[in-house]
Coordinates of all heavy atoms in Angstrom, one line a residue:
Y1 N -79.4 117.8 10.1 CA -80.6 117.1 10.1 C -80.9 116.2 11.3 O -82.0 116.0 11.7 CB -80.7 116.2 8.8 CG -80.8 117.0 7.5 CD1 -79.8 117.0 6.6 CD2 -81.9 117.7 7.3 CE1 -79.9 117.8 5.5 CE2 -82.0 118.5 6.1 CZ -81.0 118.5 5.2 OH -81.1 119.2 4.1
V2 N -79.8 115.7 11.8 CA -79.9 114.8 12.9 C -80.5 115.4 14.1 O -81.4 114.9 14.8 CB -78.5 114.2 13.3 CG1 -78.6 113.3 14.5 CG2 -78.0 113.4 12.1
Q3 N -80.1 116.7 14.4 CA -80.7 117.4 15.6 C -82.2 117.7 15.4 O -82.9 117.6 16.3 CB -79.9 118.7 15.8 CG -78.5 118.5 16.2 CD -77.7 119.7 16.2 OE1 -78.1 120.7 15.5 NE2 -76.5 119.7 16.8
F4 N -82.6 118.0 14.2 CA -84.0 118.3 13.9 C -84.8 117.0 14.2 O -85.8 117.1 14.9 CB -84.2 118.8 12.5 CG -85.6 118.9 12.0 CD1 -86.4 119.9 12.5 CD2 -86.2 117.9 11.2 CE1 -87.7 120.0 12.1 CE2 -87.5 118.0 10.9 CZ -88.3 119.1 11.3
Y5 N -84.4 115.9 13.6 CA -85.2 114.7 13.8 C -85.2 114.2 15.2 O -86.1 113.6 15.7 CB -84.7 113.6 12.8 CG -85.1 113.9 11.4 CD1 -84.1 114.2 10.4 CD2 -86.5 114.0 11.0 CE1 -84.5 114.5 9.1 CE2 -86.8 114.3 9.7 CZ -85.9 114.5 8.8 OH -86.2 114.9 7.5
T6 N -84.1 114.4 15.9 CA -84.0 114.1 17.3 C -85.0 114.9 18.1 O -85.7 114.4 19.0 CB -82.6 114.2 17.9 OG1 -81.7 113.5 17.1 CG2 -82.5 113.8 19.3
G7 N -85.0 116.2 17.9 CA -86.0 117.1 18.5 C -87.4 116.7 18.3 O -88.3 116.7 19.2
V8 N -87.7 116.4 17.0 CA -89.1 116.0 16.6 C -89.5 114.7 17.3 O -90.6 114.5 17.8 CB -89.2 115.9 15.1 CG1 -90.5 115.3 14.7 CG2 -89.1 117.3 14.5
S9 N -88.6 113.8 17.4 CA -88.9 112.5 18.0 C -89.1 112.6 19.5 O -89.9 112.0 20.1 CB -87.8 111.4 17.7 OG -86.6 111.8 18.2
V10 N -88.3 113.5 20.1 CA -88.5 113.7 21.6 C -89.9 114.4 21.8 O -90.6 114.0 22.8 CB -87.4 114.6 22.1 CG1 -87.7 115.1 23.5 CG2 -86.1 113.8 22.1
I11 N -90.3 115.3 21.0 CA -91.6 115.9 21.1 C -92.7 114.9 20.9 O -93.6 114.9 21.7 CB -91.7 117.1 20.2 CG1 -90.8 118.3 20.6 CG2 -93.1 117.6 20.1 CD1 -90.7 119.4 19.6
L12 N -92.6 114.1 19.9 CA -93.6 113.0 19.7 C -93.7 112.0 20.8 O -94.8 111.6 21.2 CB -93.3 112.3 18.4 CG -93.6 113.1 17.1 CD1 -93.1 112.4 15.9 CD2 -95.0 113.5 17.0
L13 N -92.5 111.6 21.4 CA -92.5 110.7 22.5 C -93.2 111.4 23.7 O -93.9 110.7 24.5 CB -91.1 110.3 22.8 CG -90.5 109.3 21.8 CD1 -89.0 109.1 22.1 CD2 -91.3 108.0 21.9
A14 N -92.9 112.7 24.0 CA -93.5 113.4 25.1 C -95.0 113.5 24.9 O -95.8 113.2 25.9 CB -92.9 114.7 25.2
V15 N -95.5 113.8 23.7 CA -96.9 113.9 23.5 C -97.6 112.5 23.7 O -98.6 112.4 24.3 CB -97.2 114.4 22.1 CG1 -98.6 114.2 21.7 CG2 -96.8 115.9 22.0
N16 N -96.9 111.5 23.2 CA -97.5 110.1 23.4 C -97.5 109.7 24.9 O -98.5 109.1 25.3 CB -96.6 109.1 22.6 CG -97.2 107.7 22.7 OD1 -98.4 107.5 22.7 ND2 -96.3 106.7 22.6
Y17 N -96.5 110.1 25.6 CA -96.4 109.8 27.0 C -97.6 110.5 27.8 O -98.2 109.9 28.7 CB -95.1 110.1 27.6 CG -95.0 109.9 29.1 CD1 -94.8 108.6 29.6 CD2 -95.0 110.9 30.0 CE1 -94.7 108.3 30.9 CE2 -94.9 110.7 31.4 CZ -94.8 109.4 31.8 OH -94.7 109.1 33.2
F18 N -97.8 111.8 27.6 CA -98.7 112.5 28.4 C -100.2 112.3 28.0 O -101.1 112.5 28.8 CB -98.3 114.0 28.3 CG -97.1 114.3 29.1 CD1 -96.0 114.8 28.5 CD2 -97.1 114.2 30.5 CE1 -94.8 115.1 29.3 CE2 -96.0 114.5 31.2 CZ -94.9 114.9 30.6
F19 N -100.4 111.9 26.8 CA -101.8 111.7 26.3 C -102.2 110.2 26.2 O -103.2 109.8 25.7 CB -102.0 112.3 25.0 CG -102.1 113.8 25.1 CD1 -101.0 114.6 24.6 CD2 -103.1 114.5 25.6 CE1 -101.0 116.0 24.7 CE2 -103.2 115.9 25.7 CZ -102.1 116.6 25.3
A20 N -101.4 109.3 26.8 CA -101.7 107.9 26.8 C -102.8 107.6 27.8 O -102.8 108.3 28.8 CB -100.4 107.1 27.2
P21 N -103.7 106.7 27.5 CA -104.8 106.4 28.5 C -104.2 105.7 29.7 O -103.2 105.0 29.7 CB -105.7 105.4 27.7 CG -104.8 104.8 26.6 CD -103.7 105.9 26.3
D22 N -104.9 106.0 30.8 CA -104.6 105.4 32.1 C -105.1 104.0 32.2 O -106.3 103.8 32.2 CB -105.1 106.2 33.2 CG -104.7 105.7 34.6 OD1 -103.8 104.9 34.7 OD2 -105.3 106.2 35.6
T23 N -104.3 103.0 32.1 CA -104.7 101.6 32.1 C -104.3 100.8 33.4 O -104.2 99.6 33.4 CB -104.2 100.9 30.9 OG1 -102.8 101.0 30.9 CG2 -104.7 101.5 29.6
T24 N -104.0 101.5 34.5 CA -103.6 100.9 35.7 C -104.8 100.2 36.4 O -106.0 100.6 36.2 CB -103.0 101.8 36.7 OG1 -103.9 102.8 37.0 CG2 -101.8 102.5 36.0
I25 N -104.5 99.2 37.2 CA -105.6 98.4 37.9 C -106.2 99.3 38.9 O -107.4 99.2 39.2 CB -105.0 97.1 38.5 CG1 -106.1 96.3 39.0 CG2 -104.0 97.4 39.6 CD1 -107.0 95.6 38.0
D26 N -105.4 100.3 39.5 CA -106.0 101.2 40.5 C -107.1 102.1 39.9 O -108.1 102.3 40.6 CB -104.9 102.0 41.1 CG -103.9 101.2 41.9 OD1 -104.2 100.1 42.4 OD2 -102.7 101.7 42.0
S27 N -106.9 102.6 38.8 CA -107.9 103.5 38.2 C -109.1 102.7 37.8 O -110.2 103.2 38.0 CB -107.3 104.3 37.0 OG -107.0 103.4 36.0
W28 N -108.9 101.5 37.3 CA -110.1 100.7 37.0 C -110.9 100.3 38.2 O -112.1 100.4 38.3 CB -109.7 99.4 36.3 CG -110.8 98.5 36.1 CD1 -111.7 98.5 35.0 CD2 -111.2 97.4 36.9 NE1 -112.6 97.5 35.2 CE2 -112.4 96.8 36.4 CE3 -110.7 96.9 38.1 CZ2 -113.0 95.8 37.0 CZ3 -111.4 95.9 38.7 CH2 -112.5 95.3 38.1
A29 N -110.2 99.9 39.3 CA -110.9 99.5 40.5 C -111.6 100.7 41.2 O -112.7 100.6 41.7 CB -109.9 98.9 41.5
R30 N -111.0 101.9 41.1 CA -111.6 103.1 41.7 C -112.9 103.4 40.9 O -114.0 103.7 41.5 CB -110.7 104.3 41.6 CG -111.2 105.5 42.3 CD -110.1 106.6 42.2 NE -108.9 106.2 42.8 CZ -107.7 106.0 42.1 NH1 -107.8 106.2 40.8 NH2 -106.6 105.7 42.7
N31 N -112.9 103.3 39.6 CA -114.1 103.6 38.8 C -115.2 102.5 39.0 O -116.4 102.8 39.1 CB -113.7 103.7 37.3 CG -112.9 104.9 37.0 OD1 -112.9 105.9 37.7 ND2 -112.1 104.9 35.9
E32 N -114.7 101.3 39.1 CA -115.7 100.2 39.3 C -116.3 100.3 40.7 O -117.5 100.1 40.8 CB -114.9 98.8 39.2 CG -115.8 97.6 39.3 CD -116.7 97.5 38.0 OE1 -116.4 98.1 37.0 OE2 -117.7 96.8 38.2
A33 N -115.6 100.6 41.7 CA -116.1 100.8 43.1 C -117.1 102.0 43.1 O -118.2 101.9 43.7 CB -115.0 101.0 44.1
A34 N -116.8 103.1 42.4 CA -117.7 104.2 42.4 C -119.0 103.9 41.7 O -120.1 104.3 42.1 CB -117.0 105.4 41.7
A35 N -118.9 103.1 40.6 CA -120.1 102.7 39.9 C -121.0 101.8 40.8 O -122.2 101.9 40.8 CB -119.8 101.9 38.6
R36 N -120.3 100.8 41.5 CA -121.1 100.0 42.4 C -121.7 100.7 43.5 O -122.9 100.4 44.0 CB -120.2 98.9 43.0 CG -119.8 97.9 41.9 CD -118.9 96.8 42.4 NE -118.5 95.9 41.4 CZ -118.0 94.7 41.6 NH1 -117.9 94.2 42.8 NH2 -117.6 94.0 40.5
L37 N -121.0 101.7 44.1 CA -121.6 102.6 45.1 C -122.8 103.4 44.6 O -123.8 103.5 45.3 CB -120.6 103.5 45.7 CG -119.5 102.9 46.6 CD1 -118.5 103.9 47.0 CD2 -120.2 102.3 47.8
R38 N -122.7 103.9 43.4 CA -123.9 104.6 42.8 C -125.1 103.7 42.7 O -126.2 104.1 43.0 CB -123.5 105.2 41.5 CG -122.9 106.6 41.6 CD -122.7 107.2 40.2 NE -121.3 107.4 40.0 CZ -120.5 106.7 39.2 NH1 -121.1 105.9 38.3 NH2 -119.2 106.9 39.1
L39 N -124.8 102.4 42.2 CA -125.9 101.5 42.1 C -126.5 101.1 43.5 O -127.7 100.9 43.6 CB -125.5 100.2 41.3 CG -125.2 100.4 39.9 CD1 -124.5 99.2 39.3 CD2 -126.5 100.7 39.1
K40 N -125.6 101.0 44.5 CA -126.1 100.7 45.8 C -126.9 101.8 46.4 O -127.9 101.6 47.1 CB -124.8 100.4 46.7 CG -125.1 100.0 48.1 CD -125.5 98.5 48.1 CE -125.6 98.0 49.5 NZ -126.2 96.7 49.5
E41 N -126.6 103.1 46.0 CA -127.4 104.2 46.5 C -128.8 104.2 45.9 O -129.8 104.5 46.5 CB -126.7 105.5 46.2 CG -125.5 105.8 47.0 CD -124.8 107.0 46.5 OE1 -125.2 107.7 45.5 OE2 -123.8 107.4 47.2
K42 N -128.9 103.8 44.6 CA -130.2 103.7 43.9 C -131.0 102.6 44.5 O -132.2 102.7 44.6 CB -130.0 103.5 42.4 CG -129.4 104.7 41.7 CD -129.3 104.4 40.2 CE -128.7 105.6 39.5 NZ -128.5 105.2 38.1
D43 N -130.4 101.4 44.7 CA -131.1 100.2 45.2 C -130.4 99.7 46.3 O -129.3 99.0 46.1 CB -131.2 99.2 44.0 CG -132.0 98.0 44.4 OD1 -132.7 98.0 45.4 OD2 -131.9 97.0 43.7
P44 N -130.8 99.8 47.6 CA -130.1 99.3 48.7 C -130.0 97.8 48.7 O -129.1 97.2 49.4 CB -131.0 99.8 49.9 CG -131.8 100.9 49.4 CD -132.0 100.6 48.0
D45 N -130.8 97.1 48.0 CA -130.8 95.6 48.0 C -129.8 95.1 46.8 O -129.8 93.9 46.5 CB -132.2 95.0 47.7 CG -133.1 95.3 48.9 OD1 -132.6 95.5 50.0 OD2 -134.3 95.5 48.7
F46 N -129.1 96.0 46.2 CA -128.2 95.6 45.1 C -127.1 94.7 45.6 O -126.4 94.9 46.6 CB -127.6 96.9 44.5 CG -126.5 96.7 43.6 CD1 -126.8 96.2 42.3 CD2 -125.2 96.9 43.9 CE1 -125.7 95.9 41.4 CE2 -124.1 96.7 43.0 CZ -124.4 96.2 41.8
K47 N -127.0 93.6 44.9 CA -125.9 92.6 45.1 C -125.0 92.5 43.9 O -125.5 92.1 42.8 CB -126.5 91.3 45.4 CG -127.4 91.2 46.6 CD -126.7 91.1 47.9 CE -127.6 90.8 49.0 NZ -127.7 91.9 50.0
P48 N -123.8 92.9 44.0 CA -122.9 92.8 42.8 C -122.7 91.3 42.4 O -122.6 90.5 43.2 CB -121.6 93.5 43.2 CG -121.7 93.6 44.7 CD -123.1 93.5 45.1
V49 N -122.6 91.1 41.1 CA -122.3 89.8 40.5 C -120.9 89.7 40.1 O -120.4 90.6 39.4 CB -123.3 89.5 39.4 CG1 -123.1 88.1 38.8 CG2 -124.8 89.6 39.8
F50 N -120.2 88.6 40.4 CA -118.9 88.4 40.0 C -118.7 88.4 38.5 O -119.5 87.7 37.8 CB -118.3 87.1 40.6 CG -116.9 86.9 40.2 CD1 -115.9 87.6 40.8 CD2 -116.5 86.0 39.3 CE1 -114.5 87.4 40.5 CE2 -115.2 85.7 38.9 CZ -114.2 86.4 39.5
G51 N -117.8 89.2 37.9 CA -117.6 89.1 36.5 C -118.3 90.2 35.7 O -118.1 90.3 34.5
V52 N -119.2 91.0 36.3 CA -120.0 92.0 35.7 C -119.2 93.3 35.9 O -119.0 93.7 37.1 CB -121.4 92.1 36.2 CG1 -122.1 93.2 35.5 CG2 -122.1 90.8 35.9
H53 N -119.0 94.1 34.9 CA -118.3 95.4 35.0 C -119.4 96.4 35.0 O -120.0 96.8 34.0 CB -117.4 95.6 33.8 CG -116.3 94.6 33.7 ND1 -115.3 94.6 34.7 CD2 -116.1 93.6 32.9 CE1 -114.5 93.6 34.4 NE2 -114.9 93.0 33.3
Y54 N -119.6 97.0 36.2 CA -120.7 97.9 36.4 C -120.4 99.3 35.9 O -121.3 100.1 35.6 CB -121.1 98.0 37.9 CG -121.7 96.7 38.3 CD1 -120.9 95.7 39.0 CD2 -123.0 96.4 38.0 CE1 -121.5 94.5 39.4 CE2 -123.6 95.2 38.4 CZ -122.8 94.3 39.1 OH -123.3 93.1 39.5
Q55 N -119.1 99.7 35.7 CA -118.8 101.0 35.1 C -119.2 101.0 33.7 O -119.5 102.1 33.2 CB -117.3 101.3 35.4 CG -116.4 100.4 34.6 CD -114.9 100.8 34.9 OE1 -114.7 101.8 35.5 NE2 -114.0 99.9 34.7
D56 N -119.2 99.9 33.0 CA -119.7 99.8 31.6 C -121.2 100.1 31.6 O -121.7 100.8 30.7 CB -119.4 98.5 31.0 CG -117.9 98.2 30.9 OD1 -117.2 99.2 30.9 OD2 -117.6 97.0 30.7
L57 N -121.9 99.6 32.6 CA -123.4 99.9 32.6 C -123.6 101.4 32.8 O -124.5 102.0 32.2 CB -124.0 99.1 33.7 CG -124.0 97.6 33.6 CD1 -124.6 96.9 34.8 CD2 -124.7 97.2 32.3
Q58 N -122.8 102.0 33.7 CA -122.9 103.5 33.9 C -122.6 104.2 32.7 O -123.3 105.2 32.3 CB -122.0 103.9 35.0 CG -122.3 103.3 36.4 CD -123.5 103.8 37.0 OE1 -123.8 105.0 36.9 NE2 -124.3 103.0 37.7
S59 N -121.6 103.8 31.9 CA -121.3 104.5 30.6 C -122.4 104.3 29.6 O -122.7 105.3 28.9 CB -120.0 103.8 30.0 OG -118.9 104.0 30.9
K60 N -123.1 103.2 29.6 CA -124.2 103.0 28.7 C -125.4 103.9 29.1 O -126.0 104.5 28.2 CB -124.7 101.6 28.7 CG -123.7 100.6 28.0 CD -124.2 99.2 28.0 CE -123.1 98.3 27.5 NZ -123.5 96.9 27.7
E61 N -125.6 104.1 30.4 CA -126.7 105.0 30.8 C -126.4 106.4 30.4 O -127.3 107.1 30.0 CB -126.8 104.9 32.3 CG -127.5 103.6 32.8 CD -127.6 103.5 34.3 OE1 -127.3 104.5 35.0 OE2 -127.9 102.4 34.8
R62 N -125.1 106.8 30.6 CA -124.7 108.2 30.3 C -124.9 108.4 28.8 O -125.3 109.5 28.3 CB -123.3 108.5 30.7 CG -123.2 108.8 32.2 CD -121.8 109.4 32.5 NE -120.7 108.4 32.2 CZ -120.2 107.7 33.1 NH1 -120.5 107.7 34.3 NH2 -119.2 106.9 32.7
Q63 N -124.5 107.4 28.0 CA -124.6 107.5 26.5 C -126.1 107.6 26.1 O -126.4 108.4 25.2 CB -123.9 106.3 25.8 CG -123.9 106.4 24.3 CD -123.1 107.6 23.8 OE1 -122.1 107.9 24.3 NE2 -123.6 108.2 22.8
E64 N -126.9 106.8 26.7 CA -128.4 106.9 26.4 C -128.9 108.2 26.7 O -129.7 108.8 26.0 CB -129.1 105.8 27.1 CG -128.8 104.4 26.5 CD -129.4 103.3 27.4 OE1 -130.0 103.5 28.4 OE2 -129.2 102.1 27.0
K65 N -128.6 108.7 27.9 CA -129.1 110.1 28.3 C -128.5 111.1 27.3 O -129.3 112.1 27.0 CB -128.6 110.4 29.7 CG -129.2 111.6 30.3 CD -129.1 111.7 31.7 CE -130.4 112.3 32.2 NZ -131.0 111.7 33.3
W66 N -127.3 111.0 26.9 CA -126.7 112.0 26.0 C -127.4 111.9 24.7 O -127.8 113.0 24.1 CB -125.2 111.7 25.8 CG -124.6 112.6 24.8 CD1 -124.3 112.3 23.5 CD2 -124.3 114.0 24.9 NE1 -123.8 113.4 22.8 CE2 -123.8 114.4 23.7 CE3 -124.3 114.9 26.0 CZ2 -123.3 115.7 23.5 CZ3 -123.9 116.2 25.8 CH2 -123.4 116.6 24.6
D67 N -127.7 110.7 24.2 CA -128.5 110.6 22.9 C -129.9 111.2 23.0 O -130.3 111.9 22.1 CB -128.6 109.1 22.5 CG -127.3 108.5 22.1 OD1 -126.3 109.3 21.8 OD2 -127.1 107.3 22.2
E68 N -130.5 111.0 24.2 CA -131.8 111.6 24.4 C -131.8 113.1 24.4 O -132.6 113.8 23.7 CB -132.4 111.1 25.7 CG -133.8 111.6 26.1 CD -134.2 111.1 27.4 OE1 -133.9 110.0 27.8 OE2 -134.8 111.9 28.1
V69 N -130.8 113.7 25.1 CA -130.7 115.1 25.1 C -130.3 115.7 23.8 O -130.9 116.7 23.3 CB -129.6 115.5 26.2 CG1 -129.3 117.0 26.1 CG2 -130.1 115.2 27.6
S70 N -129.4 115.1 23.1 CA -129.0 115.6 21.7 C -130.2 115.5 20.7 O -130.3 116.3 19.9 CB -127.8 114.9 21.2 OG -128.0 113.5 21.0
E71 N -131.0 114.4 20.9 CA -132.2 114.3 20.0 C -133.1 115.5 20.2 O -133.7 116.1 19.3 CB -132.9 113.0 20.3 CG -134.2 112.8 19.6 CD -134.0 112.4 18.1 OE1 -132.9 111.9 17.8 OE2 -134.9 112.6 17.3
K72 N -133.4 115.9 21.5 CA -134.2 117.0 21.8 C -133.6 118.3 21.3 O -134.3 119.2 20.9 CB -134.5 117.1 23.3 CG -135.4 116.0 23.8 CD -135.6 116.1 25.3 CE -136.4 115.0 25.8 NZ -136.6 115.1 27.3
E73 N -132.3 118.4 21.4 CA -131.6 119.6 20.9 C -131.8 119.8 19.4 O -132.0 121.0 19.0 CB -130.1 119.5 21.2 CG -129.3 120.7 20.9 CD -129.7 121.9 21.7 OE1 -130.1 121.8 22.9 OE2 -129.5 123.1 21.2
F74 N -131.7 118.8 18.7 CA -131.9 118.9 17.2 C -133.4 119.1 16.8 O -133.7 119.7 15.8 CB -131.3 117.7 16.5 CG -129.8 117.7 16.5 CD1 -129.1 116.6 17.1 CD2 -129.1 118.8 16.1 CE1 -127.8 116.6 17.1 CE2 -127.7 118.8 16.2 CZ -127.1 117.7 16.7
N75 N -134.3 118.5 17.6 CA -135.7 118.6 17.2 C -136.5 118.8 18.5 O -137.1 117.8 19.0 CB -136.1 117.3 16.5 CG -137.4 117.4 15.8 OD1 -138.1 118.4 15.9 ND2 -137.8 116.4 15.2
P76 N -136.5 120.0 19.1 CA -137.1 120.2 20.4 C -138.6 119.9 20.5 O -139.0 119.5 21.6 CB -136.8 121.6 20.7 CG -136.5 122.3 19.4 CD -136.0 121.2 18.5
F77 N -139.3 120.0 19.5 CA -140.8 119.8 19.6 C -141.2 118.5 18.9 O -142.4 118.3 18.7 CB -141.5 121.0 19.0 CG -141.2 122.3 19.7 CD1 -140.5 123.2 19.1 CD2 -141.6 122.5 21.0 CE1 -140.1 124.4 19.8 CE2 -141.3 123.6 21.7 CZ -140.5 124.6 21.1
K78 N -140.2 117.7 18.4 CA -140.5 116.5 17.8 C -141.4 116.7 16.5 O -142.3 115.9 16.3 CB -141.1 115.4 18.7 CG -140.3 115.1 19.9 CD -139.5 113.9 19.6 CE -138.8 113.5 20.9 NZ -137.7 112.7 20.7
E79 N -141.2 117.8 15.9 CA -142.0 118.0 14.7 C -141.3 117.4 13.4 O -140.1 117.3 13.3 CB -142.1 119.5 14.4 CG -142.9 120.3 15.5 CD -143.0 121.7 15.2 OE1 -142.3 122.2 14.3 OE2 -143.8 122.4 15.9
E80 N -142.2 117.0 12.5 CA -141.7 116.5 11.3 C -141.3 117.6 10.3 O -141.9 118.7 10.4 CB -142.7 115.6 10.6 CG -143.0 114.3 11.4 CD -141.8 113.4 11.5 OE1 -141.1 113.3 10.5 OE2 -141.7 112.7 12.5
D81 N -140.4 117.4 9.4 CA -140.1 118.5 8.5 C -141.2 118.7 7.5 O -141.3 119.8 6.8 CB -138.8 118.1 7.7 CG -137.6 118.1 8.7 OD1 -137.6 118.8 9.7 OD2 -136.6 117.4 8.3
D82 N -142.1 117.7 7.3 CA -143.2 117.9 6.3 C -144.2 118.9 6.7 O -145.0 119.3 5.9 CB -143.8 116.5 6.1 CG -142.9 115.5 5.5 OD1 -141.9 115.9 4.8 OD2 -143.1 114.3 5.7
D83 N -144.3 119.3 8.0 CA -145.3 120.2 8.5 C -145.0 121.6 8.0 O -145.9 122.5 8.2 CB -145.3 120.2 10.0 CG -145.8 118.8 10.6 OD1 -146.4 118.1 9.8 OD2 -145.5 118.5 11.8
D84 N -143.9 121.9 7.5 CA -143.6 123.2 7.1 C -144.3 123.6 5.8 O -144.4 124.8 5.5 CB -142.1 123.4 6.9 CG -141.3 123.3 8.2 OD1 -141.9 123.5 9.2 OD2 -140.1 123.0 8.1
D85 N -144.8 122.7 5.0 CA -145.5 122.9 3.8 C -146.9 123.4 4.1 O -147.6 122.8 4.8 CB -145.5 121.7 2.9 CG -144.1 121.2 2.5 OD1 -143.2 122.0 2.5 OD2 -144.0 120.0 2.2
D86 N -147.2 124.6 3.5 CA -148.5 125.1 3.6 C -149.4 124.7 2.4 O -148.9 124.8 1.3 CB -148.5 126.6 3.8 CG -147.9 127.0 5.1 OD1 -148.0 126.2 6.1 OD2 -147.3 128.1 5.2
D87 N -150.6 124.4 2.6 CA -151.5 124.0 1.5 C -152.4 125.2 1.2 O -153.5 125.0 0.6 CB -152.4 122.8 1.9 CG -151.5 121.6 2.1 OD1 -150.5 121.5 1.5 OD2 -151.9 120.7 2.9
D88 N -152.0 126.4 1.4 CA -152.9 127.6 1.1 C -153.0 127.8 -0.4 O -152.1 127.9 -1.1 CB -152.4 128.8 1.8 CG -152.5 128.6 3.3 OD1 -153.6 128.1 3.8 OD2 -151.6 129.0 4.1

C-alpha cells in the first residue's frame, strides 16, 4: 500500500506544480507594460497613473467584448421569443 500512495502523491504534486498559476513579479510587470503600451497606442496623450492596474482594464474590455459576441451568438437578430406565435 505504501508504494501505491507514494506514487499517487508524487503524481498529485507534479500536477499541482505544473498547473500552478504564474505569480512572479516579472510576469505581472510584463503584462502591465503591454497593457500600458496598448493604451499608449490608442491615445498618444495617455499618462499612466500610479497605483492603477491597466491590465485589469484590458481584461474588463475583453470580457465586455466577449459578452457582446456571445449575446449575438445566442440571439443573432435580437428577436424576442414571443414573435414565434402566429395569430392566424
Side-chain angles (χ1 to χ4, degrees):
Y1 290 113
V2 174
Q3 293 170 343
F4 172 75
Y5 288 115
T6 303
V8 169
S9 64
V10 167
I11 291 171
L12 289 175
L13 287 171
V15 167
N16 185 31
Y17 177 76
F18 287 113
F19 289 105
D22 184 13
T23 57
T24 61
I25 189 71
D26 294 334
S27 65
W28 173 85
R30 187 178 304 109
N31 293 336
E32 186 69 19
R36 290 181 184 198
L37 287 174
R38 275 188 242 111
L39 289 172
K40 186 76 171 173
E41 288 174 356
K42 289 180 183 178
D43 182 17
D45 296 331
F46 169 73
K47 302 276 190 244
V49 178
F50 179 76
V52 176
H53 299 290
Y54 294 100
Q55 64 182 345
D56 295 340
L57 297 175
Q58 296 288 323
S59 298
K60 288 178 187 174
E61 288 177 8
R62 283 194 297 263
Q63 183 64 38
E64 289 171 0
K65 185 162 222 139
W66 176 259
D67 291 341
E68 179 183 322
V69 168
S70 64
E71 176 77 22
K72 288 180 184 176
E73 181 69 28
F74 290 123
N75 195 358
F77 301 110
K78 301 264 184 200
E79 293 180 348
E80 296 292 327
D81 291 335
D82 297 335
D83 292 341
D84 294 337
D85 298 334
D86 291 332
D87 294 332
D88 294 320

